[in-house]
Amino acid sequence: MGGSATARGVRQAEPQAVAPEPGERGMSILCVHFHDLPDEQLYPRLLALLTEYTPLVQALPPDSALADVSGSLRYFGTDAPALAERIRARTGGLYGLRSTIGVAANPLLARMVAADGPPSAVRALPADLETVSAFLAEKPAAALHGVGPATARTLSSYGLDGVGRIAAAPLGTLQRILGVTAGRRLHDAAHGLDPTPVTPSAPPRSLSVEHRFAQDELNRDRQRAGLLALTDRLGLQLRADSQVARTLTLTVRYADRSTTTRTRTLPEPTAHTHSLTAFVHELHDRLALQRARVRALSLRAEDLITAELASRQLSFDPTDEKARRIEAATDRARDRFGPGAVHPAGAADPNSRTGQAS
């Protein structure tokens, strides 16, 4: 990727207290990424701060959000990049946080602009077609939101390893490769089109745990051991709180501080460690990490509900029933002697943090 951000059409925004010019009216979506949150409890407060500027704030846990400020610009008498700069300055002043804000015409472009360059800045992508096309042309396929490693490899096998090449490919070709719906979605994304609205939402009630490796970890088995330590802690806390999770989100943080996130909606709500582990292993397998240097793993249980309100399908698997009886006995031992009394075989040494947000 050659050239500066300015040369590519993305410009660093400077505060200005003027009404938006006609050419800036298309830029009304902000993607706000908060860096290095010291505590999970701070995230809801940051979302509340954003709602002081617009009611259209969509939570993107654990540390990002989308905001549609199209209805707020006239009230604040400024344009979207300048409003984003106010937000960035205020979060820094109140909480000492660095933040990066991408400003663009839709959520897809705002996410990509926010990720385009070093952290702690406001970056704006003008809405004209020529600038958007130039910005997208040099991006790898994986830069498009929703294109994971497996899809990127499939596209690359057809020579479609960049967004510019994808945009030049006929729609029918993409649909033959990925299917009708996915092909259409990719075709639109490669042309900078994203009709998805910003949907106001608060972060769901959740519980999260994190495992940090002593050194950047390449070994898959040791990564799996870290995952087992996470599901063990998460399941124990859920059962202690008499809650079950309907969704799991796995976040992998790499040596370069970039992250990958995968989410799985569970077939039925659960707090059973054996089930949580199976689902997390599935998410880990989807990432196809081969030579990635992993610094930390975090697991979030979302959409929590009270255990007594959740239905459970009857199981005639003796192995599953035995695992549940052992789990209940282990929980009693931990309750009596402390959480460190028993650990599952194969789990990494505990080096985790647990937090809960409502």
Side-chain angles (χ1 to χ4, degrees):
M1 301 185 193
S4 66
T6 302
R8 295 195 303 268
V10 180
R11 60 180 176 81
Q12 302 286 352
E14 296 294 337
Q16 47 186 311
V18 297
E21 294 296 328
E24 305 284 15
R25 293 183 189 278
M27 294 192 297
S28 60
I29 305 299
L30 312 184
C31 179
V32 187
H33 176 64
F34 303 106
H35 299 285
D36 303 322
L37 291 184
D39 155 359
E40 190 180 74
Q41 304 296 331
L42 182 57
Y43 182 60
R45 292 159 64 186
L46 293 168
L47 294 180
L49 183 150
L50 292 178
T51 61
E52 295 179 19
Y53 295 90
T54 173
L56 300 178
V57 175
Q58 180 177 339
L60 300 176
D63 56 12
S64 300
L66 292 171
D68 183 342
V69 298
S70 56
S72 307
L73 301 182
R74 184 174 297 277
Y75 175 82
F76 286 100
T78 188
D79 61 11
L83 190 60
E85 192 64 62
R86 290 188 193 181
I87 293 171
R88 194 176 75 89
R90 191 167 174 211
T91 55
L94 289 175
Y95 303 110
L97 286 178
R98 296 185 308 153
S99 59
T100 301
I101 305 180
V103 187
N106 60 51
L108 168 74
L109 294 175
R111 288 173 188 255
M112 294 181 70
V113 173
D116 186 57
S120 193
V122 170
R123 286 189 285 273
L125 179 66
D128 65 276
L129 180 60
E130 183 178 350
T131 302
V132 171
S133 297
F135 171 75
L136 291 172
E138 63 184 39
K139 302 299 180 191
L144 293 174
H145 180 66
V147 176
T151 301
R153 285 195 297 271
T154 299
L155 291 169
S156 183
S157 69
Y158 288 89
L160 303 174
D161 55 353
V163 177
R165 293 184 177 182
I166 295 170
L171 171 60
T173 299
L174 298 178
Q175 291 180 321
R176 284 193 295 273
I177 295 172
L178 300 177
V180 174
T181 302
R184 165 62 72 179
R185 187 181 303 119
L186 180 64
H187 179 269
D188 290 347
H191 288 86
L193 303 176
D194 181 13
T196 308
V198 174
T199 304
S201 65
R205 181 169 174 79
S206 64
L207 180 71
S208 65
V209 289
E210 181 181 52
H211 181 83
R212 295 177 180 174
F213 293 102
Q215 58 186 13
D216 298 336
E217 189 56 72
L218 286 164
N219 185 277
R220 182 176 181 273
D221 290 338
R222 285 195 283 270
Q223 291 176 16
R224 286 295 183 102
L227 292 173
L228 180 55
L230 290 181
T231 55
D232 178 58
R233 287 177 61 86
L234 189 63
L236 177 64
Q237 186 62 56
L238 287 170
R239 295 189 298 274
D241 294 342
S242 298
Q243 293 184 311
V244 291
R246 291 184 286 196
T247 305
L248 285 179
T249 296
L250 172 66
T251 299
V252 180
R253 186 175 298 277
Y254 305 103
D256 62 0
R257 297 188 177 182
S258 64
T259 60
T260 302
T261 299
R262 291 291 181 272
T263 297
R264 173 80 148 83
T265 299
L266 308 183
E268 64 178 38
T270 187
H272 181 32
T273 297
H274 180 74
S275 299
L276 295 173
T277 302
F279 294 131
V280 171
H281 281 177
E282 178 184 328
L283 292 174
H284 187 249
D285 289 340
R286 287 183 187 176
L287 293 174
L289 302 178
Q290 295 177 350
R291 306 180 74 177
R293 298 168 62 85
V294 176
R295 179 160 297 178
L297 300 165
S298 62
L299 184 63
R300 179 187 298 269
E302 300 174 297
D303 297 332
L304 305 187
I305 60 174
T306 304
E308 63 184 19
L309 300 179
S311 60
R312 179 193 162 199
Q313 296 180 4
L314 294 177
S315 171
F316 298 98
D317 181 357
T319 302
D320 182 70
E321 293 302 318
K322 180 179 179 181
R324 291 178 184 271
R325 289 196 298 271
I326 294 174
E327 185 175 77
T330 300
D331 287 351
R332 290 193 295 270
R334 287 171 162 176
D335 184 58
R336 182 175 180 181
F337 300 108
V342 183
H343 295 292
D349 291 336
N351 183 19
S352 314
R353 295 188 308 178
T354 303
Q356 184 162 323
S358 299

